[in-house]
Amino acid sequence: MVIHFVLLISRQGKVRLTKWYSTYSKKERSKVLRELSGVILTRGPRLCNFVEWRGLKVVYKRYASLYFCMCIDPDGNELEILEIIHHYVEVLDRYFGSVCELDLIYNFHKAYYILDEILISGELQESSKRTVVRSVAAQDSLVEAAKEQTGSTISNIIAHAAK
Amino acid sequence: MNPFSSGTCLRDMIRAIRACKTSAEERAVVRKECAAIRASINEDDQDYRHRNLAKLMFIQMLGYPTHFGQMECLKLIASAGFPEKRIGYLGLMLLLDERQEVLMLVTNSLKQDLNHSNQYIVGLALCALGNICSAEMARDLAPEVERLLQFRDPNIRKKAALCSIRIIKKVPALAENFINCAASLLKEKHHGVLITGVQLCADLCKVSSEALEYFRKKCTEGLVRTLRDIVNSPYSPEYDISGITDPYLHIRLLKLLRILGQGDADASDRMTDILAQVATKTESNKNAGNAILYECVETIMSIEDDGGLRVLAINILGKFLSNRDNNIRYVALNMLMRATTLDAQAVQRHRATILDCVKDSDASIRKRALDLLYLLVNDNNVKPLIKELIEYLEVSDQEFKGDLTAKICSLVEKFSSEKIWYIDQMLKVLSEAGNFVKDEVWHALIVVISNASDLHGYTVRALYRAFLTSTEQETLVRVAVWCIGEYGDMLVNNVGMLDIEDPITVTECDAVDAVEVAIKRHTSDLTTKAMALIALLKLSSRFPSYSERIKDIIVQNKGNVVLELQQRSIEFNRILQKHPKFRSALVERMPVLDEATFSGRRAGSLPTAISTSSGAPSNLPNGIAKPATAPIPDLLDLSSDDVPAPSSSGGDFLQDLLGVDLSPTPAPSGADMPPKASTDVLLDLLSIGMPLPVQTGLSASDILSSSQDDKAPFVNFNGLASLSSLSANATSPANAAPMMDLLDGRGPGPQKSEENGQAYPSLVAYESSSLRVMFNFSKQRGSPQTTLIQATFTNLSSNVYNDFLFQAAVPKFLQLHLDPASSNTLPASGDGSITQNLKVTNSQHGKKSLVMRVRIAYKTNNKDVLEERQINNFPQNL
């Protein structure tokens, strides 16, 4: 497992996304969140992007008001994880069109869909941003198509009932 | 949006939650939403299932319980449409984890979806499986995933590859099914498939040596070619990251090559050219390039190589280390740590830079650098490095002082060629960061001081000086108080003055003042105060003219709320008043403490045991050093219990009393207990201790709560343990058995201490309904690697065992010698036992614990019985 979990935490300590690839119980999860936001949010600027934590390493990077954190084994390649974080951010940016924190709050499920196209089981799945965006967009249009269909059937029913 | 929708939509809910100003408001909103969702779930409302689940996911992210939505995920997954499945699988991954039983219910849906005609649905199922698959699901669904590795769409193939990784990690036995498909993925052109395929191969190699051999033979060549192609590939916008084509692919290929090259000279040889190319050609001005270089260096250091490449690798790390970017410096320190095993000399060249990193403002870098520096210290550079580190200790951050102090102390101990240097450095550390010094460190310091008889005067004067300037360092105060108590006369008379010392005039009054300061400091904890009381008692004999004043100070504590201090104060006062004639004999200087025994004991004691003995500074040495007058008092002594040793002389016995401190005293005050025949006393003690273990435990924790909460039960337990082993000596075996049982019930405890002063908890190595095997451990002085084990076999059944045979096997790093058993017939019902001695030599002493497989064969009722068992729970450090 390259990545044990992915966290997005706002500067105020609000959790915006959590994805657990290793098994953590509910209790452990909230403990991890509490501990790590305490450590990461208090780190000063221009320090290195790595924090050693419980024998593992957490690689984090701040983009505007959001901290993107990924936890890896102590012998993992931290620099590569920084690239993966950036990769994810760039895909988010392409998908939402200059993404901001609010996009990720109201469309948190989309952020998960995109992450699922980039990582599975904590391993990198796709290095091409274009492929990721295309795949998510294709699935979005499938959803839209299905919605239109049900939408039309429902308006039929309404029309029926109105008669 | 559905025209019939009641309640709020997802967006409204999020908005409402965000509008909350207090967490109470937020809880109220969430509670209302959850109630609505529950109601909707109960009505089995299909239209809102989708939206309910989305809301639950958001609510879950805020940290509220959402378990009631789990079944909704399954329903959504089981529905036909893509939108439902998409949100259902997302919910499955977020709301459940692999340990939940509910997950088993989804296996069937997953199986159907893996065979679905819509490739996006197959993709969803693969993604979910890859993220939360359990071992059972892996077994059930492996064939589907294996088939999907050859699916026409590359997006499915890559997902299937990552899914396979999860499967083989959960069930390594399935690895061989994937070897061939994985190998074919390596020939792909699609980067996603290639990346995941390479990763799959790497993970297959980790779980299956068969896979490793296969890939090494069949794929090394091809992988080298792929890496060369990607390194030399022209600009491709889709995969370009700061001028490098697909660094992720680079990194994964390098990683797999590392696995293939490790331990195989031939495979390593085939990849040296390309590694050299990557190491020299990769741009190092951007993070992506450095990530590749980092991986490349790691591969070079892992494979079999003649050294040419390694020079290159170490040079890259040297460049990294001088980089201004903190990230790069961090990884450089990290890698140099691994490089020390390969080429310590080359790493030594960077010592100065590494030392600078220890002083960096970034905690992560500091920690790495300190760990690395620790490895670089040797006999030649220890003095300047320690000097630097101690100087830095003065200015370092509070939170870093703990780590730094521990490392410095460890280094000073490890490289202490001269005692005076060791004592000097330790005094500096104690004065700078005494509050961070661990108990065993200052215990060790006292042992060393005690042994350096020519430095007693020097040390006590140095400590006195240090004490005057830094009274806030707890451990410094303790060591100073101990030394003033022991060597107070040397302090006053300037005995053993060294040339390097500045002359100092200390009067007897000053010395007593110092100890008084220590006892009256409001920050002093129980241990320090108790030590100060002992020091005062000792000084009363060293400085007879101040005897009255000392008595006054001691008496001041007779009303102390801490029972231990109160008791000490009263006892000492009594000694001063009533027994002036043997006071001087009582408080004689401690005999020299035996270093070998002490270090053996430190190594032998479990981590908890260290903290247990921590509060009792002088009982450690005392227990070791006291001449073994009789085995029984010795045992008592070691158990750090305040039990008088009845058979020893009065002086000795009181010295015991002084030496041991923080343990609970049995109800009658030890000092007044008349000497009896040893067995009687022990039985008495047992009758006090045994029936009320809980109560004694409580009182112990009361006493100790001010210093270390966790050690109280242990101390008490120590006492009980050794008492019961005493009873085994003193009384009939039948009487001993229930005591043993009592101990068994409470887990292994220090059972019996050998005459050389080391105690290991004995172990119930094996217990079945018919047989119990106990191991008692001891070590011979001077050979820490060798453990003597006395195995005791007890028959728990009502039949006699004949032809009893005990056999044992150990792994290669151990050597085992079995002595003949005391008998081959084991009487029934625990009515006697067989003992057999074993000698185990651990070549990895300190690194690996003992492990043993035992087989016991015997005949009972003319039937052969064979029992086998692996024993893994040996005490550490054997």
Side-chain angles (χ1 to χ4, degrees):
Chain A
M1 198 108 20
V2 174
I3 297 166
H4 293 284
F5 54 80
V6 178
L7 306 177
L8 261 68
I9 307 173
S10 79
R11 219 171 37 160
Q12 289 79 29
K14 294 258 186 227
V15 181
R16 296 301 178 210
L17 180 144
T18 57
K19 187 87 185 173
W20 308 89
Y21 296 109
S22 296
T23 316
Y24 290 85
S25 71
K26 205 171 147 22
K27 223 179 184 169
E28 288 165 340
R29 289 180 183 187
S30 53
K31 196 160 166 237
V32 169
L33 284 168
R34 222 177 23 248
E35 275 181 29
L36 277 183
S37 43
V39 175
I40 290 170
L41 299 183
T42 52
R43 269 175 75 85
R46 281 198 303 280
L47 300 184
C48 73
N49 295 77
F50 318 126
V51 178
E52 290 175 31
W53 171 82
R54 288 207 216 160
L56 299 173
K57 273 179 195 162
V58 178
V59 179
Y60 71 93
K61 190 154 189 199
R62 185 177 158 181
Y63 288 88
S65 58
L66 271 186
Y67 285 86
F68 288 68
C69 318
M70 294 188 180
C71 176
I72 55 169
D73 282 327
D75 54 353
N77 186 334
E78 301 91 346
L79 300 180
E80 191 206 0
I81 299 297
L82 277 180
E83 284 301 321
I84 293 181
I85 290 177
H86 192 67
H87 184 56
Y88 180 40
V89 173
E90 283 198 307
V91 175
L92 286 173
D93 204 50
R94 268 195 207 192
Y95 180 84
F96 287 105
S98 74
V99 66
C100 69
E101 194 183 336
L102 280 180
D103 289 324
L104 300 186
I105 295 172
Y106 286 104
N107 295 298
F108 69 94
H109 50 295
K110 301 253 167 87
Y112 279 108
Y113 291 144
I114 292 169
L115 187 62
D116 283 341
E117 290 295 321
I118 294 176
L119 298 174
I120 287 182
S121 189
E123 305 280 358
L124 184 72
Q125 179 188 171
E126 181 56 67
S127 55
S128 155
K129 300 182 222 351
R130 199 176 62 174
T131 312
V132 175
V133 173
R134 253 199 307 211
S135 173
V136 178
Q139 296 179 58
D140 285 348
S141 54
L142 267 182
V143 173
E144 286 307 316
K147 253 190 195 164
E148 266 167 37
Q149 224 176 6
T150 49
S152 57
T153 50
I154 285 172
S155 45
N156 284 346
I157 297 169
I158 299 170
H160 233 57
K163 269 179 196 169
Chain B
M1 188 79 331
N2 193 320
F4 294 122
S5 71
S6 60
T8 49
C9 69
L10 174 65
R11 185 166 274 271
D12 290 338
M13 183 194 81
I14 296 176
R15 202 169 283 140
I17 289 175
R18 279 172 57 75
C20 295
K21 292 206 174 55
T22 64
S23 53
E25 276 180 53
E26 183 185 287
R27 276 198 298 275
V29 173
V30 170
R31 208 179 305 127
K32 217 173 104 202
E33 283 291 345
C34 284
I37 293 169
R38 275 172 194 270
S40 169
I41 289 174
N42 287 341
E43 287 163 23
D44 204 20
D45 191 335
Q46 297 194 10
D47 294 334
Y48 300 126
R49 198 170 269 158
H50 181 272
R51 186 214 277 170
N52 287 341
L53 190 57
K55 283 183 181 174
L56 278 180
M57 284 188 254
F58 191 84
I59 290 171
Q60 197 243 10
M61 204 152 54
L62 298 175
Y64 296 93
T66 51
H67 49 90
F68 53 87
Q70 290 174 353
M71 288 310 290
E72 295 299 287
C73 299
L74 305 194
K75 287 181 190 159
L76 280 166
I77 290 169
S79 52
F82 179 79
E84 288 79 17
K85 280 186 190 291
R86 195 186 197 195
I87 198 96
Y89 276 120
L90 185 60
L92 183 76
M93 290 186 277
L94 290 182
L95 305 187
L96 279 82
D97 69 55
E98 61 170 289
R99 286 174 303 196
Q100 262 136 349
E101 300 280 311
V102 190
L103 207 55
M104 286 309 293
L105 302 174
V106 89
T107 312
N108 206 32
S109 302
L110 273 170
K111 193 168 193 150
Q112 278 170 13
D113 286 347
L114 288 174
N115 291 308
H116 205 279
S117 58
N118 181 339
Q119 67 164 82
Y120 289 106
I121 291 180
V122 179
L124 288 178
L126 278 173
C127 179
L129 186 63
N131 283 339
I132 57 162
C133 163
S134 63
E136 290 87 355
M137 292 167 86
R139 281 193 204 93
D140 289 344
L141 299 173
E144 265 73 23
V145 177
E146 203 186 314
R147 184 175 51 74
L148 290 171
L149 282 174
Q150 285 140 29
F151 197 80
R152 63 190 141 66
D153 188 295
N155 286 321
I156 296 302
R157 289 204 296 276
K158 73 187 184 195
K159 286 187 162 75
L162 293 183
C163 224
S164 311
I165 294 179
R166 175 94 179 190
I167 288 173
I168 58 162
K169 275 183 183 164
K170 291 285 165 197
V171 189
L174 291 170
E176 55 185 271
N177 303 352
F178 287 93
I179 295 176
N180 282 319
C181 323
S184 64
L185 293 180
L186 296 181
K187 299 186 188 93
E188 297 258 1
K189 288 279 171 277
H190 185 282
H191 279 219
V193 183
L194 201 47
I195 283 179
T196 54
V198 171
Q199 189 65 48
L200 173 58
C201 290
D203 281 301
L204 279 168
C205 291
K206 282 182 206 155
V207 296
S208 151
S209 52
E210 189 192 337
L212 176 60
E213 274 313 307
Y214 180 86
F215 294 131
R216 198 176 261 160
K217 267 205 207 89
K218 298 273 167 77
C219 304
T220 309
E221 226 33 83
L223 286 166
V224 168
R225 210 177 314 119
T226 315
L227 182 57
R228 185 171 299 129
D229 289 347
I230 191 84
V231 168
N232 297 324
S233 75
Y235 175 76
S236 89
E238 190 165 359
Y239 295 104
D240 184 80
I241 294 176
S242 50
I244 297 165
T245 305
D246 208 340
Y248 309 107
L249 184 55
H250 275 86
I251 288 170
R252 271 160 194 72
L253 284 166
L254 286 167
K255 221 177 249 172
L256 181 54
L257 286 177
R258 169 159 83 237
I259 295 170
L260 298 181
Q262 215 159 16
D264 188 297
D266 186 43
S268 300
D269 196 43
R270 276 183 277 173
M271 58 187 79
T272 44
D273 284 351
I274 185 67
L275 291 179
Q277 194 190 341
V278 173
T280 47
K281 293 270 175 65
T282 309
E283 283 286 338
S284 64
N285 50 4
K286 286 279 164 51
N287 183 57
N290 284 326
I292 294 174
L293 283 173
Y294 179 42
E295 202 65 45
C296 186
V297 168
E298 176 123 39
T299 300
I300 289 172
M301 294 201 307
S302 302
I303 64 166
E304 310 303 308
D305 174 61
D306 51 12
L309 274 177
R310 281 187 187 161
V311 176
L312 204 59
I314 302 257
N315 285 344
I316 291 176
L317 293 181
K319 253 189 275 169
F320 272 18
L321 199 58
S322 54
N323 200 305
R324 291 228 309 280
D325 184 344
N326 279 336
N327 289 342
I328 307 295
R329 283 199 295 154
Y330 176 89
V331 296
L333 291 167
N334 213 2
M335 292 292 294
L336 283 169
M337 200 136 147
R338 278 172 247 179
T340 46
T341 51
L342 292 178
D343 188 352
Q345 217 45 50
V347 184
Q348 287 285 0
R349 280 201 294 275
H350 302 291
R351 209 171 53 226
T353 324
I354 296 164
L355 189 60
D356 285 341
C357 291
V358 174
K359 303 170 184 172
D360 201 276
S361 60
D362 187 332
S364 297
I365 289 187
R366 278 200 306 252
K367 187 164 182 308
R368 274 285 130 248
L370 184 61
D371 288 349
L372 177 56
L373 196 67
Y374 183 76
L375 294 179
L376 293 183
V377 173
N378 57 32
D379 287 320
N380 300 326
N381 58 27
V382 61
K383 288 192 176 176
L385 280 177
I386 289 293
K387 185 164 174 281
E388 288 266 3
L389 289 178
I390 290 179
E391 277 168 17
Y392 178 60
L393 189 59
E394 296 168 24
V395 293
S396 67
D397 286 354
Q398 285 299 319
E399 62 262 36
F400 191 50
K401 277 195 171 142
D403 272 349
L404 192 56
T405 311
K407 285 278 194 301
I408 294 175
C409 291
S410 160
L411 284 173
V412 171
E413 274 186 53
K414 201 161 134 197
F415 294 99
S416 60
S417 47
E418 309 146 33
K419 283 190 168 144
I420 185 163
W421 181 78
Y422 171 84
I423 292 172
D424 278 344
Q425 306 311 313
M426 287 308 297
L427 290 196
K428 282 188 205 159
V429 174
L430 287 180
S431 342
E432 278 312 322
N435 291 334
F436 297 94
V437 172
K438 294 212 175 59
D439 284 329
E440 61 265 28
V441 171
W442 66 267
H443 292 170
L445 175 62
I446 287 187
V447 174
V448 171
I449 294 174
S450 154
N451 275 281
S453 50
D454 49 334
L455 296 174
H456 285 166
Y458 168 76
T459 311
V460 69
R461 284 187 293 274
L463 272 165
Y464 178 77
R465 256 182 237 132
F467 174 72
L468 293 183
T469 50
S470 30
T471 39
E472 74 281 5
Q473 305 292 351
E474 195 74 43
T475 52
L476 175 74
V477 174
R478 289 185 193 169
V479 179
V481 161
W482 188 87
C483 285
I484 293 174
E486 289 296 316
Y487 314 118
D489 44 338
M490 297 182 160
L491 173 65
V492 176
N493 302 330
N494 278 339
V495 174
M497 199 73 174
L498 299 186
D499 298 341
I500 48 165
E501 261 183 279
D502 293 329
I504 176 174
T505 321
V506 184
T507 61
E508 296 184 352
C509 180
D510 294 337
V512 177
D513 282 345
V515 183
E516 192 182 2
V517 167
I519 206 167
K520 291 200 169 149
R521 262 169 88 229
H522 66 279
T523 50
S524 287
D525 70 3
L526 170 59
T527 307
T528 313
K529 286 187 175 166
M531 289 178 77
L533 276 177
I534 294 178
L536 284 171
L537 183 63
K538 295 210 166 190
L539 286 181
S540 74
S541 148
R542 312 256 192 284
F543 309 146
S545 50
Y546 282 88
S547 183
E548 271 310 303
R549 187 177 154 210
I550 288 171
K551 206 179 86 192
D552 290 344
I553 304 173
I554 289 178
V555 167
Q556 282 168 14
N557 279 289
K558 78 173 182 200
N560 199 304
V561 287
V562 182
L563 189 60
E564 172 68 26
L565 295 178
Q566 188 188 98
Q567 184 183 337
R568 254 173 220 246
S569 160
I570 292 168
E571 285 170 359
F572 292 176
N573 186 33
R574 220 176 155 78
I575 292 168
L576 289 172
Q577 278 183 327
K578 299 270 163 94
H579 305 285
K581 55 178 185 300
F582 59 70
R583 182 183 65 196
S584 58
L586 269 181
V587 297
E588 262 175 16
R589 198 165 291 161
M590 289 261 259
V592 170
L593 310 169
D594 183 26
E595 282 178 271
T597 327
F598 177 73
S599 53
R601 179 173 238 252
R602 269 178 84 184
S605 51
L606 298 164
T608 44
I610 289 173
S611 70
T612 304
S613 55
S614 62
S618 31
N619 81 344
L620 267 180
N622 195 16
I624 297 161
K626 211 173 63 63
T629 45
I632 292 172
D634 230 32
L635 287 166
L636 288 171
D637 223 12
L638 275 168
S639 69
S640 66
D641 205 355
D642 238 3
V643 179
S647 58
S648 51
S649 70
D652 261 347
F653 132 56
L654 281 161
Q655 198 170 6
D656 276 351
L657 201 81
L658 300 178
V660 287
D661 63 354
L662 292 175
S663 42
T665 314
S669 165
D672 296 338
M673 190 185 267
K676 289 186 196 170
S678 60
T679 28
D680 282 353
V681 173
L682 290 166
L683 284 173
D684 274 355
L685 289 171
L686 286 170
S687 66
I688 297 162
M690 298 317 284
L692 301 164
V694 181
Q695 276 180 350
T696 16
L698 276 178
S699 72
S701 57
D702 281 345
I703 292 166
L704 297 170
S705 54
S706 58
S707 54
Q708 276 138 343
D709 301 328
D710 55 336
K711 74 185 174 189
F714 202 93
V715 169
N716 176 44
F717 183 45
N718 260 350
L720 286 180
S722 65
L723 284 176
S724 78
S725 73
L726 277 171
S727 82
N729 292 344
T731 62
S732 74
N735 206 348
M739 311 287 185
M740 293 294 208
D741 280 346
L742 199 100
L743 282 173
D744 292 348
R746 303 182 65 176
Q751 166 88 10
K752 184 174 175 185
S753 27
E754 295 301 313
E755 282 182 25
N756 63 1
Q758 292 176 14
Y760 293 94
S762 55
L763 176 77
V764 181
Y766 178 87
E767 182 157 31
S768 67
S769 55
S770 52
L771 186 69
R772 176 166 60 222
V773 184
M774 292 279 289
F775 280 179
N776 287 323
F777 305 97
S778 57
K779 293 239 182 225
Q780 274 176 332
R781 183 169 299 178
S783 55
Q785 294 197 330
T786 307
T787 309
L788 302 174
I789 303 178
Q790 188 190 43
T792 310
F793 307 95
T794 315
N795 183 347
L796 303 176
S797 77
S798 51
N799 301 316
V800 179
Y801 297 165
N802 294 315
D803 298 340
F804 189 89
L805 180 66
F806 169 76
Q807 291 169 301
V810 291
K812 275 194 189 130
F813 67 91
L814 298 173
Q815 271 186 332
L816 176 69
H817 176 83
L818 275 169
D819 287 337
S822 61
S823 155
N824 65 354
T825 309
L826 194 54
S829 316
D831 186 25
S833 55
I834 298 179
T835 57
Q836 188 165 13
N837 288 325
L838 293 78
K839 195 162 89 184
V840 184
T841 308
N842 184 351
S843 63
Q844 306 259 37
H845 177 69
K847 289 183 211 141
K848 289 192 183 170
S849 304
L850 297 191
V851 57
M852 188 181 287
R853 183 175 275 281
V854 300
R855 173 192 281 182
I856 298 158
Y858 52 85
K859 264 199 176 116
T860 177
N861 289 339
N862 280 331
K863 250 179 27 198
D864 283 319
V865 181
L866 190 69
E867 302 193 43
E868 271 190 279
R869 163 89 196 269
Q870 176 141 342
I871 306 172
N872 298 322
N873 52 342
F874 282 97
Q876 286 169 331
N877 295 318
L878 278 179

